[in-house]
Amino acid sequence: MKGFAMLRIGEVGWIEKEKPVAGPYDAIVRPIALAPCTSDIHTVFEGAIGERHNRILGHEAVGEVVEVGSEVKDFKPGDRVVVPAITPDWRTLEVQMGYHQHSGGMLSGYKFTNSKDGVFAEYFHVNDADMNLAKLPDDIPPEKAVMICDMMTTGFHGAELANVQFGSSVAVIGIGPVGLMAIAGASLRGAGRIIAVGSRPVCVEVAKHYGATDIVNYKNGDIVDQVMHLTGNKGVDCVIVAGGGVETMDQAIRMVRPGGTVANINYFGYGDLLPIPRAEWGCGMAHKDIRGGLCPGGRLRMEMLIELVRYNRVDPGKLVTHIMYGLDKVEKAFMLMKDKPRDLIKPVVIVN
Ligand code: NAD
Ligand code: ZN
């Protein structure tokens, strides 16, 4: 089979590999809808998780099950499924500790591309199918559903980590697809004021649709000053960091109020240290919590997010600005994600 791969740090291309084989609890899936992620870009071009040779990319897929192992109970060939970006081993102590994302070691729930081939291929392998796949309802189109696998679960996790409460004031730094889903998640959790920090008009428009009440544009001055001004110098209750480099952690800590929470869902691709501003962190005594996490995956998380889409609580389809047809278009979609033209939020590739 063919797949679109990271050949080495800084280089991508099409390669031929053997079709994967299902173990007793696994499934083999063929893609129906695929999307590239900014994380694929960090992985390839910043070498953020280290070297990978001829490793197939991609971790956002909706597909059709083509084969299941002998012990798989709830799925069969022909089922259309949403595949989470995070597909943990569910029989680990980390799961019992409440961190399935880190089952088997830090970030090990993130398997596609990280520890095995990803989804940008004619077929891909899903471990523990009963625990990691979710059925795609007929009334959700694949191009919308593929936004659930990673974008929705990550953005919503930002709102969870930030501990957004009814009436909370929230700032979201970076309003690409992940930040936009963080706005939607904060809004669903009952946030009051939601300040979106971003500038591209296509993203600003969708941010308002998802519930942003204020837009802060770096072109109008320092973003921390602007957020402090908007909040009467108090700062916001919650900051969700969903874009930018390491400097955004510094900005986030400055703009959150004492007792508030900074939640990072960004993937910092470079830099050895993340900055904490000493004085604004109350010389260490401000009770400003700093949290960060990999998105939740697995079947139940997908099923619960699917319910939100199915009952029209949120429409992640608003993120999709470009739709292409045919597996070979994965390369074009990937390069769009790298180059980020101004009219792009998220591209999707539909495979027959
Ligand atoms: P994106 O690049 O499309 O969007 C980020 C946005 O932030 C861009 O519009 C950029 O212009 C903006 N930005 C950059 N610097 C900024 C600054 N200083 N202030 C304000 N805005 C700034 O990326 P995305 O696809 O939305 O993903 C966001 C991040 O989330 C990426 O790092 C991605 O790798 C990561 N990610 C993490 C997880 C997870 O599980 N935690 C999952 C998926 C993606
Ligand atoms: Zn991703």
Side-chain angles (χ1 to χ4, degrees), residues 177-192:
V178 168
L180 290 169
M181 282 289 102
I183 291 170
S187 190
L188 274 175
R189 281 176 69 106

PDB file of all heavy atoms in Angstrom, residues 177-192:
ATOM      1  N   PRO A 177      -7.516  26.315  14.162  1.00  0.00           N
ATOM      2  CA  PRO A 177      -8.616  25.381  14.444  1.00  0.00           C
ATOM      3  C   PRO A 177      -8.692  24.930  15.907  1.00  0.00           C
ATOM      4  O   PRO A 177      -9.796  24.785  16.447  1.00  0.00           O
ATOM      5  CB  PRO A 177      -8.315  24.204  13.517  1.00  0.00           C
ATOM      6  CG  PRO A 177      -6.907  24.389  13.052  1.00  0.00           C
ATOM      7  CD  PRO A 177      -6.638  25.853  13.083  1.00  0.00           C
ATOM      8  N   VAL A 178      -7.546  24.741  16.558  1.00  0.00           N
ATOM      9  CA  VAL A 178      -7.565  24.291  17.954  1.00  0.00           C
ATOM     10  C   VAL A 178      -8.116  25.402  18.862  1.00  0.00           C
ATOM     11  O   VAL A 178      -9.001  25.165  19.698  1.00  0.00           O
ATOM     12  CB  VAL A 178      -6.152  23.846  18.399  1.00  0.00           C
ATOM     13  CG1 VAL A 178      -6.094  23.651  19.897  1.00  0.00           C
ATOM     14  CG2 VAL A 178      -5.748  22.558  17.679  1.00  0.00           C
ATOM     15  N   GLY A 179      -7.618  26.618  18.692  1.00  0.00           N
ATOM     16  CA  GLY A 179      -8.105  27.740  19.492  1.00  0.00           C
ATOM     17  C   GLY A 179      -9.591  28.001  19.251  1.00  0.00           C
ATOM     18  O   GLY A 179     -10.337  28.330  20.186  1.00  0.00           O
ATOM     19  N   LEU A 180     -10.016  27.840  18.014  1.00  0.00           N
ATOM     20  CA  LEU A 180     -11.444  28.054  17.715  1.00  0.00           C
ATOM     21  C   LEU A 180     -12.308  27.027  18.430  1.00  0.00           C
ATOM     22  O   LEU A 180     -13.378  27.355  18.962  1.00  0.00           O
ATOM     23  CB  LEU A 180     -11.679  28.005  16.197  1.00  0.00           C
ATOM     24  CG  LEU A 180     -11.104  29.207  15.439  1.00  0.00           C
ATOM     25  CD1 LEU A 180     -11.120  28.962  13.935  1.00  0.00           C
ATOM     26  CD2 LEU A 180     -11.878  30.488  15.783  1.00  0.00           C
ATOM     27  N   MET A 181     -11.837  25.794  18.488  1.00  0.00           N
ATOM     28  CA  MET A 181     -12.580  24.770  19.240  1.00  0.00           C
ATOM     29  C   MET A 181     -12.516  25.032  20.744  1.00  0.00           C
ATOM     30  O   MET A 181     -13.452  24.705  21.475  1.00  0.00           O
ATOM     31  CB  MET A 181     -12.036  23.381  18.911  1.00  0.00           C
ATOM     32  CG  MET A 181     -12.512  22.834  17.589  1.00  0.00           C
ATOM     33  SD  MET A 181     -14.270  22.359  17.594  1.00  0.00           S
ATOM     34  CE  MET A 181     -15.029  23.711  16.764  1.00  0.00           C
ATOM     35  N   ALA A 182     -11.430  25.664  21.199  1.00  0.00           N
ATOM     36  CA  ALA A 182     -11.353  26.036  22.619  1.00  0.00           C
ATOM     37  C   ALA A 182     -12.409  27.099  22.929  1.00  0.00           C
ATOM     38  O   ALA A 182     -13.036  27.070  24.001  1.00  0.00           O
ATOM     39  CB  ALA A 182      -9.961  26.547  22.959  1.00  0.00           C
ATOM     40  N   ILE A 183     -12.617  28.008  21.990  1.00  0.00           N
ATOM     41  CA  ILE A 183     -13.666  29.024  22.178  1.00  0.00           C
ATOM     42  C   ILE A 183     -15.040  28.346  22.246  1.00  0.00           C
ATOM     43  O   ILE A 183     -15.846  28.632  23.137  1.00  0.00           O
ATOM     44  CB  ILE A 183     -13.616  30.061  21.031  1.00  0.00           C
ATOM     45  CG1 ILE A 183     -12.348  30.916  21.156  1.00  0.00           C
ATOM     46  CG2 ILE A 183     -14.877  30.936  21.019  1.00  0.00           C
ATOM     47  CD1 ILE A 183     -12.070  31.810  19.952  1.00  0.00           C
ATOM     48  N   ALA A 184     -15.276  27.418  21.314  1.00  0.00           N
ATOM     49  CA  ALA A 184     -16.564  26.708  21.311  1.00  0.00           C
ATOM     50  C   ALA A 184     -16.744  25.927  22.616  1.00  0.00           C
ATOM     51  O   ALA A 184     -17.839  25.906  23.196  1.00  0.00           O
ATOM     52  CB  ALA A 184     -16.631  25.771  20.104  1.00  0.00           C
ATOM     53  N   GLY A 185     -15.667  25.304  23.088  1.00  0.00           N
ATOM     54  CA  GLY A 185     -15.741  24.517  24.329  1.00  0.00           C
ATOM     55  C   GLY A 185     -15.990  25.407  25.535  1.00  0.00           C
ATOM     56  O   GLY A 185     -16.812  25.086  26.403  1.00  0.00           O
ATOM     57  N   ALA A 186     -15.297  26.553  25.583  1.00  0.00           N
ATOM     58  CA  ALA A 186     -15.490  27.489  26.702  1.00  0.00           C
ATOM     59  C   ALA A 186     -16.919  28.003  26.702  1.00  0.00           C
ATOM     60  O   ALA A 186     -17.560  28.125  27.753  1.00  0.00           O
ATOM     61  CB  ALA A 186     -14.492  28.645  26.586  1.00  0.00           C
ATOM     62  N   SER A 187     -17.409  28.284  25.531  1.00  0.00           N
ATOM     63  CA  SER A 187     -18.775  28.789  25.399  1.00  0.00           C
ATOM     64  C   SER A 187     -19.794  27.749  25.896  1.00  0.00           C
ATOM     65  O   SER A 187     -20.692  28.061  26.683  1.00  0.00           O
ATOM     66  CB  SER A 187     -18.989  29.113  23.919  1.00  0.00           C
ATOM     67  OG  SER A 187     -20.167  29.792  23.751  1.00  0.00           O
ATOM     68  N   LEU A 188     -19.598  26.484  25.490  1.00  0.00           N
ATOM     69  CA  LEU A 188     -20.519  25.421  25.929  1.00  0.00           C
ATOM     70  C   LEU A 188     -20.447  25.197  27.436  1.00  0.00           C
ATOM     71  O   LEU A 188     -21.433  24.812  28.058  1.00  0.00           O
ATOM     72  CB  LEU A 188     -20.177  24.106  25.228  1.00  0.00           C
ATOM     73  CG  LEU A 188     -20.806  23.881  23.859  1.00  0.00           C
ATOM     74  CD1 LEU A 188     -20.266  22.596  23.260  1.00  0.00           C
ATOM     75  CD2 LEU A 188     -22.326  23.816  23.969  1.00  0.00           C
ATOM     76  N   ARG A 189     -19.275  25.434  28.031  1.00  0.00           N
ATOM     77  CA  ARG A 189     -19.140  25.262  29.480  1.00  0.00           C
ATOM     78  C   ARG A 189     -19.670  26.460  30.259  1.00  0.00           C
ATOM     79  O   ARG A 189     -19.619  26.464  31.488  1.00  0.00           O
ATOM     80  CB  ARG A 189     -17.669  25.013  29.859  1.00  0.00           C
ATOM     81  CG  ARG A 189     -17.251  23.569  29.606  1.00  0.00           C
ATOM     82  CD  ARG A 189     -15.789  23.368  29.879  1.00  0.00           C
ATOM     83  NE  ARG A 189     -15.454  23.460  31.289  1.00  0.00           N
ATOM     84  CZ  ARG A 189     -15.157  22.428  32.076  1.00  0.00           C
ATOM     85  NH1 ARG A 189     -15.176  21.204  31.572  1.00  0.00           N
ATOM     86  NH2 ARG A 189     -14.836  22.604  33.333  1.00  0.00           N
ATOM     87  N   GLY A 190     -20.138  27.492  29.538  1.00  0.00           N
ATOM     88  CA  GLY A 190     -20.827  28.585  30.219  1.00  0.00           C
ATOM     89  C   GLY A 190     -19.988  29.818  30.476  1.00  0.00           C
ATOM     90  O   GLY A 190     -20.344  30.642  31.332  1.00  0.00           O
ATOM     91  N   ALA A 191     -18.885  29.973  29.748  1.00  0.00           N
ATOM     92  CA  ALA A 191     -18.072  31.184  29.928  1.00  0.00           C
ATOM     93  C   ALA A 191     -18.915  32.429  29.682  1.00  0.00           C
ATOM     94  O   ALA A 191     -19.874  32.402  28.903  1.00  0.00           O
ATOM     95  CB  ALA A 191     -16.882  31.153  28.961  1.00  0.00           C
ATOM     96  N   GLY A 192     -18.527  33.516  30.370  1.00  0.00           N
ATOM     97  CA  GLY A 192     -19.158  34.804  30.100  1.00  0.00           C
ATOM     98  C   GLY A 192     -18.412  35.465  28.947  1.00  0.00           C
ATOM     99  O   GLY A 192     -18.647  35.176  27.783  1.00  0.00           O
TER     100      GLY A 192
END
